[in-house]
Amino acid sequence: QGTPLMMQLFLIFFGLPMLGFRIESWTAAVCGLTFYASAYLAEIWRSGVEAVPRGQWDTAASLGLHRLLELRLSILPQAFRITRAPTVGFLG
């Protein structure tokens, strides 16, 4: 995430052939842009989950839910509300 997009594209397009991988220009562009976007989106969504107050985690645990059910039913819907604007802002 801390590297410029152009540098990532150069490394994929020129660096992979030096290592012996044959890659088309469009494939290099798609891979580079995918890696760049996924790093930012993962950071947005991770911070959204961490922004949910600890009391909400405790409340979900007190209901006797398993960890995945806690996430699916309680934490992720709240995190989605928090991360909706930054996600749209990044994609726009």
Side-chain angles (χ1 to χ4, degrees), residues 34-72:
T34 300
F35 295 151
Y36 180 79
S38 63
Y40 275 98
L41 290 173
E43 185 66 24
I44 289 170
W45 295 332
R46 182 197 60 80
S47 64
V49 170
E50 287 185 356
V52 175
R54 187 68 198 158
Q56 296 296 322
W57 290 85
D58 295 338
T59 302
S62 70
L63 292 173
L65 299 175
H66 294 286
R67 188 70 164 176
L68 290 176
L69 282 175
E70 287 179 21
L71 285 170
R72 186 171 64 98

Side-chain angles (χ1 to χ4, degrees), residues 7-17 23 27-29 31-32 35:
M7 186 179 82
Q8 290 179 9
L9 292 173
F10 267 64
L11 284 175
I12 291 172
F13 186 72
F14 293 116
L16 288 179
I23 189 165
T27 306
C31 288
F35 295 151

